[in-house]
Amino acid sequence: AHRDWPAAIKLIGAAAPGDIRMRYAQAIALMRAGRYPEARDLLEALHRGEVDPRIHLLLGFVRQKLGDKGATEAFLSALENEDTP
């Protein structure tokens, strides 16, 4: 199936800008489109003060893809918060 990630990114970005779930979905769409620096920036903004381990885990994957040494830190944060809903 064809996936139009640029359209998805635009659509998700316009929807509920304050909704963390929508920003998480936007980060995934950015990753799928290969736009890792933008995904990193979005996830770094989300992870400040956020204990949801999924955000830390996704940030770890993005940082790893970009060769960023901060990937390990993000993965460890995900583990530290793994029991948080």
Side-chain angles (χ1 to χ4, degrees), residues 7 9 11 13 15 29 33 35 39 43-44 46 52 57 61 68-69 71 77 81 85:
I9 292 163
L11 179 66
R35 294 165 57 179
L43 289 164
E44 285 178 349
L46 288 176
D52 187 329
L57 185 63
F61 286 125
D68 185 335
K69 294 178 183 175
S77 291
N81 295 297

Side-chain angles (χ1 to χ4, degrees), residues 11-76:
L11 179 66
I12 294 168
D19 187 334
I20 195 165
R21 295 169 301 173
M22 295 302 285
R23 301 293 66 81
Y24 182 81
Q26 186 180 20
I28 291 172
L30 286 165
M31 290 175 64
R32 297 280 180 128
R35 294 165 57 179
Y36 293 100
E38 291 172 78
R40 179 198 54 216
D41 294 346
L42 177 57
L43 289 164
E44 285 178 349
L46 288 176
H47 112 288
R48 290 185 196 106
E50 180 58 49
V51 295
D52 187 329
R54 294 171 294 185
I55 290 174
H56 296 280
L57 185 63
L58 203 57
L59 180 57
F61 286 125
V62 169
R63 285 178 173 171
Q64 184 178 40
K65 184 72 175 176
L66 293 171
D68 185 335
K69 294 178 183 175
T72 301
E73 178 186 330
F75 288 134
L76 290 173

